[in-house]
């Protein structure tokens, strides 16, 4: 059985034999929810490539001390995978974020596409972004990721264009595209950007501006996937052809 994983702000300079203190919500979850006791093993991670295995040394109210037995450092994933996810309606956004995190996305960028039904403004925008980030964090712990994905601020179309222009490979998922995703050459380093449209689909203008910036308009197959699953399928297909899945 996999050990429970808890996130800490930093593990800089931590080595075997050191004691790391976990505080706040993470400690409360370990002590009050998981009911972890002295001597039980667990994993701590900073979400930035370093994880440690250790055992509970002491517990308190919203505090937990862990004695480190082993330290593991992992290089940042390459190629990085940036998924530009048009805002879906309802809870489909959190579903997309959860599975994209599990599958290996490096960055998830919420995007206000022309035909997005959901609208992020004011307090709603802050709450929605916080929910996406919380979903990514919990999914990363569940997936035992050493590097947690970044969930960026809501992007405009102009900002997505800049991401596309800077990518080693950029693809726009479009059911009317003539080129299949499988026909593309996938780089083993650099960055891959995947643009996923909303329930209503991409507009011709959006497809045109992204392809003008260097993206390839591609189709996944004969079927039309939901916005919450299209990005997941595309990322899996792309990563299966890189050394990350080697």
């Amino acid at each position: 059985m996999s050990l429970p994983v808890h996130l800490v702000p930093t593990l800089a300079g931590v080595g075997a034999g050191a004691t790391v203190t976990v505080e706040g919500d993470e400690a409360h979850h370990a002590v009050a929810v998981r009911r972890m006791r002295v001597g039980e093993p667990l994993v701590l991670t900073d979400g930035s490539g370093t994880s440690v295995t250790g055992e509970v040394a002491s517990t308190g109210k919203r505090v937990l001390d862990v004695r480190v037995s082993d330290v593991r450092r992992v290089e940042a994933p390459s190629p990085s995978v940036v998924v530009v996810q048009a805002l879906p309606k309802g809870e489909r956004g959190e579903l997309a974020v959860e599975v994209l995190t599990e599958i290996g996305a490096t960055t998830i960028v919420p995007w206000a596409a022309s035909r997005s039904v959901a609208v992020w403004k004011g307090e709603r925008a802050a709450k929605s972004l916080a929910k996406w980030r919380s979903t990514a964090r919990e999914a990363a712990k569940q997936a035992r990721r050493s590097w947690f994905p970044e969930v960026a601020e809501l992007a405009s179309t102009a900002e997505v264009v800049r991401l596309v222009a800077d990518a080693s490979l950029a693809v726009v998922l479009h059911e009317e595209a003539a080129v299949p995703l499988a026909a593309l050459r996938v780089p083993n380093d650099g960055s891959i950007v995947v643009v996923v449209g909303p329930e209503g689909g991409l507009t011709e203008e959006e497809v045109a501006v992204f392809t003008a910036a260097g993206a390839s308009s591609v189709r996944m197959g004969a079927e039309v996937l939901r916005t919450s699953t299209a990005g997941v399928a595309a990322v899996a297909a792309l990563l299966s052809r890189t050394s990350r899945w080697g």
Side-chain angles (χ1 to χ4, degrees):
M1 184 176 68
S2 297
L3 297 178
V5 177
H6 291 278
L7 180 67
V8 292
T10 180
L11 289 170
V14 172
T19 298
V20 178
T21 299
V22 185
E23 299 178 302
D25 291 343
E26 288 288 330
H28 173 77
H29 186 72
V31 176
V33 180
R34 291 187 179 273
R35 298 187 180 278
M36 300 200 72
R37 298 294 181 259
V38 172
E40 290 190 276
L42 77 166
V43 174
L44 302 180
T45 181
D46 61 5
S48 298
T50 301
S51 300
V52 302
T53 303
E55 64 178 33
V56 177
S58 65
T59 64
K61 187 176 181 180
R62 297 179 67 81
V63 65
L64 174 77
D65 286 332
V66 177
R67 186 173 298 107
V68 175
S69 58
D70 182 65
V71 180
R72 178 172 177 262
R73 293 184 174 86
V74 177
E75 294 295 322
S78 182
S80 63
V81 178
V82 179
V83 179
V84 178
Q85 175 66 60
L87 301 181
K89 59 186 177 183
E91 297 179 352
R92 295 194 179 278
E94 289 92 85
L95 173 62
V97 169
E98 180 177 45
V99 189
L100 285 169
T101 297
E102 292 174 0
I103 210 82
T106 312
T107 305
I108 301 168
V109 182
W111 169 44
S114 297
R115 291 175 177 164
S116 288
V117 175
V119 178
W120 284 14
K121 287 185 178 179
E123 186 177 347
R124 178 178 180 179
K127 287 183 177 179
S128 297
L129 181 59
K131 187 175 290 186
W132 279 34
R133 286 174 171 169
S134 174
T135 298
R137 183 173 61 251
E138 295 308 311
K141 288 193 290 185
Q142 185 68 33
R144 276 54 180 177
R145 285 189 58 167
S146 296
W147 288 85
F148 284 24
E150 174 193 3
V151 178
E153 297 284 338
L154 179 67
S156 65
T157 298
E159 289 168 328
V160 176
V161 167
R162 288 194 286 272
L163 288 174
V164 167
D166 292 339
S168 306
L169 170 67
V171 299
V172 177
L173 306 183
H174 188 40
E175 66 272 16
E176 297 180 5
V179 178
L181 180 66
L184 299 182
R185 178 181 175 275
V186 182
N188 248 324
D189 52 22
S191 65
I192 298 172
V193 172
V194 179
V195 180
V196 186
E199 284 93 342
L202 297 163
T203 65
E204 292 183 4
E205 292 76 14
E206 287 168 339
V207 175
V209 75
F210 294 144
T211 54
S216 297
S217 177
V218 297
R219 55 180 167 80
M220 296 288 294
E223 297 78 19
V224 178
L225 302 182
R226 289 180 180 269
T227 183
S228 54
T229 53
V232 174
V235 171
L238 292 166
L239 284 180
S240 70
R241 297 163 60 194
T242 72
S243 58
R244 283 184 58 180
W245 280 27

